[in-house]
């Protein structure tokens, strides 16, 4: 997934090299490589904006430059993991670059582990997300994902204390009664509509007619039902992000040659 920028095809500037010493030439070459790498970084971010649907700032910022030095004479451009609790962007983008199937998200691994998300399925948010659940860029907010995993006891042994107790679920639901004595959910309850059960009668949940996924209910008798997280078959991705296209669009070789000539002139005081 990296773009490597190396010294190639500099015959046109060889006539200028006797004006500067070997050390300055190496520094000028490394500077030209880095100029080209930062140009390709901008091209990669622009291409992400064109081919992806609302890429997150985190993914865009993850495109980093590993700068060339006078010793390495090679710069690299590509997504890098920036630490913390964020996902590794290289893993997120792998299927977009190479094609094929994407890796599971950590939340999918957790839901799969407790038997909620079946094999061969991944999660996606609905076209109209549950209010307060999404970040406006096609993803669920981190705190909301944590609440869902906690609700369905999807944290493993090390994080079992984060799993929601029935008392906490009851508080989240805030069940009451109307003036007419009808049961009402003033907060929210989450439930799962399993894969393969759509259309099957279920008097307990009365929700098997719903598409597979996690749903929320509220209101009188829980009649206000909204989708939260849908289960869909694992897609196969076509290549969207082409490194070759980015290099070609940026005319990397020509850009490097121009910057090298400039850097040599600067070093030579021309």
């Amino acid at each position: 997934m990296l773009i490597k920028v190396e010294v190639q095809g500099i015959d046109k500037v060889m006539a200028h090299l006797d004006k500067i010493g070997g050390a300055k030439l190496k520094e000028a070459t490394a500077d030209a490589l880095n100029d080209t790498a930062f140009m390709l970084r901008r091209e990669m971010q622009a291409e992400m904006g064109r081919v992806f649907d609302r890429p997150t700032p985190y993914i865009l910022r993850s495109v980093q430059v590993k700068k060339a030095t006078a010793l390495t004479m090679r710069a690299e451009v590509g997504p890098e993991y920036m630490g913390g609790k964020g996902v590794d962007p290289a893993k997120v983008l792998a299927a977009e670059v190479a094609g094929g199937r994407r890796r599971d998200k950590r939340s999918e691994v957790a839901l799969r582990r407790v038997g909620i998300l079946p094999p061969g399925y991944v999660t996606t948010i609905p076209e109209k997300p549950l209010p307060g659940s999404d970040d406006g860029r096609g993803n669920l907010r981190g705190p909301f994902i944590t609440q869902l995993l906690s609700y369905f006891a999807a944290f493993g042994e090390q994080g079992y204390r984060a799993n929601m107790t029935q008392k906490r679920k009851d508080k989240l639901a805030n069940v009451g009664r109307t003036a007419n004595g009808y049961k009402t959910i003033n907060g929210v309850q989450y439930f799962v509509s399993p894969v393969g059960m759509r259309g099957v009668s279920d008097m307990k949940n009365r929700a098997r007619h719903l598409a597979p996924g996690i749903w929320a209910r509220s209101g009188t008798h829980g009649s206000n039902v909204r989708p939260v997280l849908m289960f869909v078959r694992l897609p196969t991705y076509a290549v969207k992000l082409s490194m070759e296209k980015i290099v070609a669009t940026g005319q990397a070789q020509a850009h490097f040659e121009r910057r090298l000539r400039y850097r040599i002139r600067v070093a030579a005081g021309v």
Side-chain angles (χ1 to χ4, degrees):
M1 194 177 298
L2 293 174
I3 296 176
K4 296 180 180 179
V5 187
E6 301 175 290
V7 179
Q8 295 178 5
I10 59 172
D11 296 341
K12 295 180 181 179
V13 299
M14 293 297 290
H16 302 279
L17 301 186
D18 58 352
K19 296 182 180 180
I20 60 177
K24 287 188 176 181
L25 171 60
K26 290 181 179 180
E27 291 177 2
T29 304
D31 287 341
L33 288 171
N34 292 330
D35 292 343
T36 306
F38 280 103
M39 178 276 294
L40 288 172
R41 178 179 185 262
R42 294 190 295 272
E43 288 293 333
M44 184 179 288
Q45 291 173 323
E47 183 68 3
M48 285 179 172
R50 286 190 290 267
V51 302
F52 297 148
D53 180 21
R54 295 171 297 173
T56 65
Y58 174 80
I59 289 294
L60 294 177
R61 287 197 307 269
S62 75
V63 181
Q64 298 293 311
V65 172
K66 184 177 181 180
K67 296 174 69 173
T69 68
L71 293 176
T72 65
M73 287 298 173
R74 184 177 74 179
E76 295 180 346
V77 185
E80 290 187 7
Y81 177 57
M82 295 183 287
K85 296 183 179 181
V87 297
D88 185 344
K91 295 179 180 179
V92 174
L93 295 172
E96 308 288 358
V97 175
R101 295 180 174 179
R102 70 161 171 81
R103 296 172 63 96
D104 280 348
K105 301 174 184 177
R106 283 187 292 185
S107 58
E108 291 170 339
V109 172
L111 292 173
R112 211 182 299 283
R113 183 175 57 240
V114 294
I116 292 176
L117 182 66
Y121 283 78
V122 294
T123 60
T124 183
I125 67 172
E127 184 177 352
K128 293 183 179 180
L130 186 73
S133 68
D134 73 312
D135 62 3
R137 294 180 176 272
N139 302 289
L140 291 182
R141 295 170 50 248
F144 187 80
I145 293 175
T146 299
Q147 184 188 73
L148 279 185
L149 296 180
S150 174
Y151 194 93
F152 291 105
F155 287 104
E157 292 182 5
Q158 293 181 343
Y160 76 96
R161 291 177 181 273
N163 289 330
M164 196 173 292
T165 63
Q166 187 58 52
K167 183 177 180 180
R168 289 174 61 198
K169 290 181 183 179
D170 291 342
K171 184 176 181 180
L172 184 64
N174 189 19
V175 176
R177 296 282 177 179
T178 66
N180 295 328
Y182 295 123
K183 177 182 176 181
T184 180
I185 301 172
N186 298 307
V188 65
Q189 287 181 339
Y190 299 114
F191 64 96
V192 176
S193 178
V195 170
M197 296 299 290
R198 192 170 186 176
V200 176
S201 176
D202 183 347
M203 294 305 295
K204 181 178 180 180
N205 287 322
R206 291 182 294 175
R208 294 296 175 89
H209 64 287
L210 299 173
I214 295 175
W215 294 72
R217 58 183 161 214
S218 59
T220 304
H221 293 309
S223 58
N224 183 17
V225 177
R226 295 284 305 273
V228 177
L229 195 62
M230 300 292 93
F231 301 162
V232 297
R233 289 195 178 276
L234 187 65
T236 298
Y237 289 84
V239 175
K240 286 186 178 180
L241 190 63
S242 169
M243 300 295 106
E244 292 78 8
K245 180 180 177 182
I246 292 169
V247 171
T249 301
Q251 298 180 322
Q253 186 61 32
H255 184 90
F256 167 70
E257 292 177 6
R258 288 195 302 271
R259 297 304 297 176
L260 181 56
R261 289 193 292 270
Y262 167 76
R263 291 293 184 177
I264 287 175
R265 289 197 301 270
V266 171
V270 177

